[in-house]
Amino acid sequence: MIIDAHSHVHDPVHSHIALLDEAGVDRAVLFGTRPHPERATDLASFRREMSVLDETVSGRSNGPDSYQAAWRELDSACAAYPERFIGFGKVRLDLPAQQIAADVEREVVGRGFRGIGELTPPPERAGQIEPVLQAAADHGGLPVVVHGFAPTTAADLATLAGLARRHPTVPLVISQLGGMNWLTAIELARETPNMYLELSTANIIFAVRLAINEVPDRTLFGSDAPYGDPVLARATVERVTRPGALRDRVLGGTLAELLGL
């Protein structure tokens, strides 16, 4: 089974299914989203969508209305294609720990989602995710995915690694291979047994090769679609691996084990 470990709801949803079919991808982890760059038709509309993305990854979009809209889209997509999408639910980080625990139970477990993410704590405040990790542990070790590209910093990655070690039953996935801090992300993952690296948006192919070589059992193929392309993301993994057990693990085997598929 080939599983894209990182994708966002598309508008229209069937365009995402077409991309997965073209890439030969069986299933995809699906996150809710506020920005929709695939809707853009020109530079001005693309800038508008990117301004929403900037708010999201900077932790400035924590209002309840933004979450409700993203939850509705995610619910709809997963209901339309339950055999293709594996839903992950996002929760607010600007709430007391008790409320975060209740939100995980209601908005993630209660909706039948298989993990939590993609979380976007503000830069230099990655410690905000600790109540989520505790809640994930309380529900049997749900995987938790955290945004890894900018504005996430190297210091944030170090904080995340420290939190992962404090919650060893929770698989903590750093998305986008840690962005420009990919070398730090690889070093931290190598030292942290429950820290995983999702490989989308890598800025150079050597980063993908090195990550797989150093952390072969904890690297995950992902596209970050619609920002990335499943065909190209899969080709990148296949470019740096040979056919066989290792490639199969990266392209879906490891994630299937984490999710009990």
Side-chain angles (χ1 to χ4, degrees), residues 86-137:
I86 304 165
F88 273 43
K90 185 176 181 179
V91 296
R92 292 174 61 183
L93 301 177
D94 62 331
L95 298 172
Q98 185 177 7
Q99 183 60 54
I100 289 174
D103 285 352
V104 168
E105 184 167 358
R106 182 181 64 251
E107 304 297 348
V108 179
V109 178
R111 291 172 182 256
F113 293 146
R114 305 299 292 268
I116 304 170
E118 178 188 16
L119 300 180
T120 54
E124 304 294 337
R125 295 173 65 186
Q128 284 190 344
I129 77 158
E130 184 157 25
V132 180
L133 295 179
Q134 182 58 61

Side-chain angles (χ1 to χ4, degrees), residues 218-242:
R218 288 181 281 116
T219 41
L220 309 174
F221 151 66
S223 69
D224 200 5
Y227 303 94
D229 186 293
V231 171
L232 299 179
R234 178 177 177 178
T236 298
V237 171
E238 293 179 341
R239 180 64 173 170
V240 301
T241 59
R242 295 180 179 180

Side-chain angles (χ1 to χ4, degrees), residues 51-217:
S51 69
V52 178
L53 176 64
D54 182 62
E55 289 180 356
T56 300
V57 299
S58 299
R60 302 197 305 270
S61 60
N62 286 321
D65 291 344
S66 64
Y67 277 79
Q68 291 293 337
W71 282 333
R72 286 194 297 270
E73 287 185 346
L74 180 60
D75 283 341
S76 178
C78 290
Y81 296 97
E83 76 286 357
R84 302 301 295 275
F85 292 137
I86 304 165
F88 273 43
K90 185 176 181 179
V91 296
R92 292 174 61 183
L93 301 177
D94 62 331
L95 298 172
Q98 185 177 7
Q99 183 60 54
I100 289 174
D103 285 352
V104 168
E105 184 167 358
R106 182 181 64 251
E107 304 297 348
V108 179
V109 178
R111 291 172 182 256
F113 293 146
R114 305 299 292 268
I116 304 170
E118 178 188 16
L119 300 180
T120 54
E124 304 294 337
R125 295 173 65 186
Q128 284 190 344
I129 77 158
E130 184 157 25
V132 180
L133 295 179
Q134 182 58 61
D138 292 342
H139 288 281
L142 293 171
V144 175
V145 180
V146 181
H147 180 79
F149 210 86
T152 301
T153 66
D156 287 324
L157 294 177
T159 297
L160 293 170
L163 293 175
R165 290 190 285 270
R166 287 165 59 175
H167 299 274
T169 64
V170 177
L172 179 59
V173 181
I174 306 302
S175 66
Q176 298 111 355
L177 193 48
M180 297 300 289
N181 299 304
W182 58 268
L183 187 56
T184 297
I186 294 171
E187 291 170 340
L188 291 168
R190 191 174 57 181
E191 300 165 359
T192 311
N194 59 319
M195 191 171 179
Y196 292 72
L197 299 175
E198 182 270 310
L199 300 170
S200 67
T201 326
N203 59 331
I204 56 174
I205 197 166
F206 187 80
V208 177
R209 178 184 291 112
L210 186 62
I212 293 173
N213 286 345
E214 293 293 327
V215 199
D217 292 332

